[in-house]
Short mmCIF file of all heavy atoms in Angstrom, two decimals:
data_model
loop_
_atom_site.label_atom_id
_atom_site.label_comp_id
_atom_site.label_asym_id
_atom_site.label_seq_id
_atom_site.Cartn_x
_atom_site.Cartn_y
_atom_site.Cartn_z
N GLN K 1412 -28.55 158.89 -68.15
CA GLN K 1412 -29.47 158.71 -69.25
C GLN K 1412 -29.35 159.86 -70.23
O GLN K 1412 -29.18 161.01 -69.82
CB GLN K 1412 -30.91 158.60 -68.76
CG GLN K 1412 -31.19 157.36 -67.94
CD GLN K 1412 -31.13 156.12 -68.80
OE1 GLN K 1412 -31.68 156.08 -69.90
NE2 GLN K 1412 -30.44 155.09 -68.31
N VAL K 1413 -29.45 159.53 -71.51
CA VAL K 1413 -29.39 160.51 -72.58
C VAL K 1413 -30.58 160.26 -73.50
O VAL K 1413 -30.82 159.13 -73.92
CB VAL K 1413 -28.09 160.42 -73.39
CG1 VAL K 1413 -28.11 161.41 -74.55
CG2 VAL K 1413 -26.89 160.67 -72.48
N GLN K 1414 -31.32 161.31 -73.79
CA GLN K 1414 -32.41 161.24 -74.74
C GLN K 1414 -31.97 161.86 -76.06
O GLN K 1414 -31.40 162.95 -76.07
CB GLN K 1414 -33.65 161.97 -74.22
CG GLN K 1414 -34.10 161.53 -72.83
CD GLN K 1414 -34.57 160.10 -72.82
OE1 GLN K 1414 -35.24 159.64 -73.74
NE2 GLN K 1414 -34.22 159.38 -71.76
N LEU K 1415 -32.23 161.16 -77.16
CA LEU K 1415 -31.86 161.62 -78.49
C LEU K 1415 -33.11 161.71 -79.35
O LEU K 1415 -33.95 160.81 -79.33
CB LEU K 1415 -30.88 160.66 -79.15
CG LEU K 1415 -29.55 160.41 -78.42
CD1 LEU K 1415 -28.76 159.33 -79.15
CD2 LEU K 1415 -28.74 161.69 -78.33
N VAL K 1416 -33.22 162.79 -80.12
CA VAL K 1416 -34.35 162.99 -81.00
C VAL K 1416 -33.83 163.36 -82.38
O VAL K 1416 -33.15 164.37 -82.54
CB VAL K 1416 -35.29 164.09 -80.49
CG1 VAL K 1416 -36.44 164.30 -81.47
CG2 VAL K 1416 -35.83 163.73 -79.11
N GLU K 1417 -34.18 162.54 -83.38
CA GLU K 1417 -33.81 162.81 -84.76
C GLU K 1417 -34.91 163.63 -85.43
O GLU K 1417 -36.09 163.47 -85.12
CB GLU K 1417 -33.60 161.52 -85.56
CG GLU K 1417 -32.51 160.62 -85.01
CD GLU K 1417 -33.05 159.52 -84.12
OE1 GLU K 1417 -34.12 159.71 -83.50
OE2 GLU K 1417 -32.41 158.46 -84.04
N SER K 1418 -34.50 164.46 -86.38
CA SER K 1418 -35.45 165.22 -87.17
C SER K 1418 -34.82 165.52 -88.52
O SER K 1418 -33.63 165.30 -88.72
CB SER K 1418 -35.87 166.50 -86.46
OG SER K 1418 -34.76 167.36 -86.26
N GLY K 1419 -35.61 166.04 -89.43
CA GLY K 1419 -35.11 166.48 -90.72
C GLY K 1419 -35.39 165.54 -91.87
O GLY K 1419 -35.08 165.87 -93.02
N GLY K 1420 -35.95 164.39 -91.58
CA GLY K 1420 -36.28 163.46 -92.65
C GLY K 1420 -37.45 163.95 -93.48
O GLY K 1420 -38.13 164.92 -93.15
N GLY K 1421 -37.66 163.27 -94.59
CA GLY K 1421 -38.74 163.64 -95.47
C GLY K 1421 -38.59 162.99 -96.83
O GLY K 1421 -37.79 162.08 -97.01
N LEU K 1422 -39.37 163.49 -97.77
CA LEU K 1422 -39.37 162.99 -99.14
C LEU K 1422 -38.53 163.92 -100.00
O LEU K 1422 -38.72 165.14 -99.98
CB LEU K 1422 -40.79 162.92 -99.67
CG LEU K 1422 -40.97 162.54 -101.14
CD1 LEU K 1422 -40.48 161.12 -101.38
CD2 LEU K 1422 -42.42 162.69 -101.54
N VAL K 1423 -37.62 163.34 -100.77
CA VAL K 1423 -36.76 164.12 -101.64
C VAL K 1423 -36.56 163.35 -102.94
O VAL K 1423 -36.58 162.12 -102.96
CB VAL K 1423 -35.41 164.42 -100.95
CG1 VAL K 1423 -34.62 163.14 -100.71
CG2 VAL K 1423 -34.60 165.43 -101.73
N GLN K 1424 -36.35 164.09 -104.02
CA GLN K 1424 -36.10 163.45 -105.31
C GLN K 1424 -34.67 162.97 -105.42
O GLN K 1424 -33.77 163.49 -104.74
CB GLN K 1424 -36.39 164.43 -106.45
CG GLN K 1424 -37.85 164.79 -106.60
CD GLN K 1424 -38.10 165.65 -107.81
OE1 GLN K 1424 -37.33 166.57 -108.11
NE2 GLN K 1424 -39.18 165.36 -108.52
N PRO K 1425 -34.42 161.96 -106.24
CA PRO K 1425 -33.04 161.54 -106.47
C PRO K 1425 -32.18 162.73 -106.89
O PRO K 1425 -32.59 163.57 -107.69
CB PRO K 1425 -33.16 160.51 -107.59
CG PRO K 1425 -34.54 159.96 -107.43
CD PRO K 1425 -35.38 161.12 -106.98
N GLY K 1426 -30.97 162.77 -106.33
CA GLY K 1426 -30.08 163.88 -106.56
C GLY K 1426 -30.24 165.03 -105.60
O GLY K 1426 -29.40 165.95 -105.59
N GLY K 1427 -31.29 165.00 -104.80
CA GLY K 1427 -31.55 166.06 -103.85
C GLY K 1427 -30.76 165.90 -102.56
O GLY K 1427 -29.94 164.99 -102.41
N SER K 1428 -31.05 166.79 -101.61
CA SER K 1428 -30.32 166.84 -100.35
C SER K 1428 -31.27 166.96 -99.17
O SER K 1428 -32.37 167.52 -99.29
CB SER K 1428 -29.37 168.03 -100.33
OG SER K 1428 -28.38 167.94 -101.34
N LEU K 1429 -30.83 166.45 -98.05
CA LEU K 1429 -31.50 166.62 -96.77
C LEU K 1429 -30.44 166.76 -95.69
O LEU K 1429 -29.33 166.23 -95.83
CB LEU K 1429 -32.39 165.43 -96.41
CG LEU K 1429 -33.71 165.25 -97.13
CD1 LEU K 1429 -34.32 163.90 -96.75
CD2 LEU K 1429 -34.67 166.37 -96.80
N ARG K 1430 -30.78 167.46 -94.61
CA ARG K 1430 -29.92 167.50 -93.44
C ARG K 1430 -30.70 166.97 -92.25
O ARG K 1430 -31.72 167.53 -91.86
CB ARG K 1430 -29.42 168.91 -93.14
CG ARG K 1430 -28.36 168.92 -92.02
CD ARG K 1430 -27.82 170.29 -91.72
NE ARG K 1430 -28.77 171.10 -90.97
CZ ARG K 1430 -28.44 172.20 -90.31
NH1 ARG K 1430 -27.18 172.63 -90.30
NH2 ARG K 1430 -29.38 172.88 -89.68
N LEU K 1431 -30.19 165.89 -91.68
CA LEU K 1431 -30.78 165.31 -90.49
C LEU K 1431 -30.12 165.89 -89.25
O LEU K 1431 -28.93 166.21 -89.26
CB LEU K 1431 -30.61 163.79 -90.49
CG LEU K 1431 -31.11 163.04 -91.72
CD1 LEU K 1431 -30.95 161.54 -91.51
CD2 LEU K 1431 -32.55 163.40 -92.04
N SER K 1432 -30.90 166.00 -88.19
CA SER K 1432 -30.40 166.48 -86.91
C SER K 1432 -30.64 165.43 -85.84
O SER K 1432 -31.64 164.71 -85.86
CB SER K 1432 -31.10 167.78 -86.50
OG SER K 1432 -30.87 168.80 -87.43
N CYS K 1433 -29.72 165.35 -84.90
CA CYS K 1433 -29.84 164.49 -83.73
C CYS K 1433 -29.57 165.36 -82.52
O CYS K 1433 -28.43 165.76 -82.28
CB CYS K 1433 -28.86 163.33 -83.82
SG CYS K 1433 -28.80 162.28 -82.35
N ALA K 1434 -30.62 165.68 -81.78
CA ALA K 1434 -30.51 166.56 -80.63
C ALA K 1434 -30.50 165.75 -79.35
O ALA K 1434 -31.34 164.85 -79.16
CB ALA K 1434 -31.67 167.55 -80.62
N ALA K 1435 -29.59 166.07 -78.46
CA ALA K 1435 -29.44 165.37 -77.19
C ALA K 1435 -30.01 166.19 -76.04
O ALA K 1435 -30.04 167.42 -76.09
CB ALA K 1435 -27.97 165.05 -76.92
N SER K 1436 -30.43 165.48 -75.00
CA SER K 1436 -31.04 166.14 -73.85
C SER K 1436 -30.02 166.82 -72.96
O SER K 1436 -30.41 167.63 -72.11
CB SER K 1436 -31.83 165.11 -73.04
OG SER K 1436 -31.00 164.05 -72.60
N ARG K 1437 -28.75 166.50 -73.12
CA ARG K 1437 -27.70 167.17 -72.38
C ARG K 1437 -26.43 167.15 -73.19
O ARG K 1437 -26.35 166.49 -74.23
CB ARG K 1437 -27.50 166.54 -71.00
CG ARG K 1437 -27.17 165.06 -71.02
CD ARG K 1437 -27.09 164.53 -69.59
NE ARG K 1437 -26.87 163.10 -69.54
CZ ARG K 1437 -25.67 162.52 -69.53
NH1 ARG K 1437 -24.57 163.26 -69.59
NH2 ARG K 1437 -25.57 161.20 -69.47
N SER K 1438 -25.42 167.84 -72.71
CA SER K 1438 -24.18 167.99 -73.45
C SER K 1438 -23.38 166.70 -73.40
O SER K 1438 -22.87 166.31 -72.35
CB SER K 1438 -23.35 169.14 -72.88
OG SER K 1438 -22.15 169.31 -73.61
N ILE K 1439 -23.26 166.04 -74.56
CA ILE K 1439 -22.56 164.76 -74.64
C ILE K 1439 -21.62 164.66 -75.83
O ILE K 1439 -20.74 163.81 -75.83
CB ILE K 1439 -23.54 163.58 -74.71
CG1 ILE K 1439 -24.37 163.64 -76.00
CG2 ILE K 1439 -24.43 163.54 -73.48
CD1 ILE K 1439 -25.13 162.37 -76.29
N PHE K 1440 -21.79 165.49 -76.83
CA PHE K 1440 -21.17 165.22 -78.12
C PHE K 1440 -19.68 165.48 -78.17
O PHE K 1440 -19.01 165.05 -79.10
CB PHE K 1440 -21.90 165.99 -79.23
CG PHE K 1440 -23.32 165.55 -79.41
CD1 PHE K 1440 -24.36 166.45 -79.31
CD2 PHE K 1440 -23.61 164.22 -79.67
CE1 PHE K 1440 -25.67 166.05 -79.48
CE2 PHE K 1440 -24.92 163.80 -79.83
CZ PHE K 1440 -25.95 164.72 -79.73
N GLY K 1441 -19.13 166.15 -77.19
CA GLY K 1441 -17.69 166.28 -77.11
C GLY K 1441 -17.01 165.09 -76.49
O GLY K 1441 -15.78 165.01 -76.50
N ILE K 1442 -17.80 164.16 -75.96
CA ILE K 1442 -17.27 163.00 -75.25
C ILE K 1442 -17.71 161.70 -75.90
O ILE K 1442 -16.90 160.80 -76.14
CB ILE K 1442 -17.72 163.00 -73.78
CG1 ILE K 1442 -17.24 164.29 -73.09
CG2 ILE K 1442 -17.20 161.77 -73.06
CD1 ILE K 1442 -15.74 164.43 -73.02
N TYR K 1443 -18.97 161.57 -76.19
CA TYR K 1443 -19.52 160.35 -76.76
C TYR K 1443 -19.18 160.21 -78.23
O TYR K 1443 -19.00 161.20 -78.95
CB TYR K 1443 -21.04 160.33 -76.62
CG TYR K 1443 -21.56 160.01 -75.24
CD1 TYR K 1443 -21.33 160.84 -74.16
CD2 TYR K 1443 -22.32 158.85 -75.03
CE1 TYR K 1443 -21.82 160.55 -72.90
CE2 TYR K 1443 -22.82 158.55 -73.78
CZ TYR K 1443 -22.57 159.41 -72.72
OH TYR K 1443 -23.07 159.11 -71.48
N THR K 1444 -19.12 158.97 -78.68
CA THR K 1444 -19.07 158.67 -80.10
C THR K 1444 -20.51 158.61 -80.62
O THR K 1444 -21.35 157.91 -80.06
CB THR K 1444 -18.36 157.35 -80.36
OG1 THR K 1444 -16.98 157.48 -79.98
CG2 THR K 1444 -18.44 156.96 -81.82
N ILE K 1445 -20.76 159.34 -81.69
CA ILE K 1445 -22.09 159.41 -82.28
C ILE K 1445 -22.06 158.67 -83.61
O ILE K 1445 -21.20 158.94 -84.46
CB ILE K 1445 -22.56 160.85 -82.50
CG1 ILE K 1445 -22.39 161.67 -81.22
CG2 ILE K 1445 -24.01 160.86 -82.99
CD1 ILE K 1445 -23.16 161.14 -80.03
N THR K 1446 -23.00 157.78 -83.80
CA THR K 1446 -23.10 157.02 -85.04
C THR K 1446 -24.49 157.21 -85.64
O THR K 1446 -25.49 157.09 -84.93
CB THR K 1446 -22.87 155.53 -84.80
OG1 THR K 1446 -21.59 155.34 -84.16
CG2 THR K 1446 -22.88 154.76 -86.11
N TRP K 1447 -24.52 157.51 -86.92
CA TRP K 1447 -25.77 157.47 -87.69
C TRP K 1447 -25.89 156.08 -88.31
O TRP K 1447 -24.95 155.60 -88.94
CB TRP K 1447 -25.80 158.53 -88.78
CG TRP K 1447 -26.12 159.90 -88.31
CD1 TRP K 1447 -25.25 160.91 -88.05
CD2 TRP K 1447 -27.43 160.44 -88.05
NE1 TRP K 1447 -25.91 162.04 -87.66
CE2 TRP K 1447 -27.25 161.77 -87.64
CE3 TRP K 1447 -28.72 159.91 -88.13
CZ2 TRP K 1447 -28.33 162.60 -87.31
CZ3 TRP K 1447 -29.79 160.73 -87.79
CH2 TRP K 1447 -29.58 162.05 -87.39
N TYR K 1448 -27.04 155.49 -88.13
CA TYR K 1448 -27.40 154.22 -88.76
C TYR K 1448 -28.61 154.43 -89.64
O TYR K 1448 -29.34 155.42 -89.51
CB TYR K 1448 -27.75 153.16 -87.71
CG TYR K 1448 -26.60 152.66 -86.87
CD1 TYR K 1448 -26.18 153.35 -85.74
CD2 TYR K 1448 -25.96 151.47 -87.19
CE1 TYR K 1448 -25.15 152.88 -84.95
CE2 TYR K 1448 -24.93 150.99 -86.41
CZ TYR K 1448 -24.53 151.70 -85.29
OH TYR K 1448 -23.50 151.22 -84.52
N ARG K 1449 -28.84 153.47 -90.51
CA ARG K 1449 -30.07 153.47 -91.28
C ARG K 1449 -30.56 152.04 -91.46
O ARG K 1449 -29.77 151.09 -91.48
CB ARG K 1449 -29.92 154.15 -92.63
CG ARG K 1449 -29.01 153.44 -93.62
CD ARG K 1449 -28.82 154.30 -94.86
NE ARG K 1449 -28.00 153.64 -95.86
CZ ARG K 1449 -27.57 154.23 -96.97
NH1 ARG K 1449 -27.89 155.49 -97.23
NH2 ARG K 1449 -26.82 153.55 -97.83
N GLN K 1450 -31.86 151.91 -91.58
CA GLN K 1450 -32.47 150.61 -91.76
C GLN K 1450 -33.65 150.73 -92.72
O GLN K 1450 -34.61 151.45 -92.45
CB GLN K 1450 -32.95 150.03 -90.43
CG GLN K 1450 -33.45 148.60 -90.54
CD GLN K 1450 -33.62 147.95 -89.19
OE1 GLN K 1450 -33.84 148.62 -88.18
NE2 GLN K 1450 -33.52 146.63 -89.15
#
């Protein structure tokens, strides 16, 4: 089992920037494929 927690979202003006983070409960990112989706 892997737990993932996203953070970094918020309100921004057009043309602005944000950095989102996806933190995992254990070391997986050197092996797993990570995909960002949006809805």
Side-chain angles (χ1 to χ4, degrees):
Q1412 294 291 315
V1413 177
Q1414 306 295 320
L1415 302 175
V1416 178
E1417 300 96 333
S1418 62
L1422 175 64
V1423 66
Q1424 292 185 319
S1428 298
L1429 286 172
R1430 188 178 74 163
L1431 306 184
S1432 298
C1433 174
S1436 58
R1437 58 184 176 89
S1438 181
I1439 64 167
F1440 296 123
I1442 302 297
Y1443 283 65
T1444 294
I1445 310 300
T1446 304
W1447 282 99
Y1448 291 84
R1449 67 186 182 187
Q1450 187 168 26

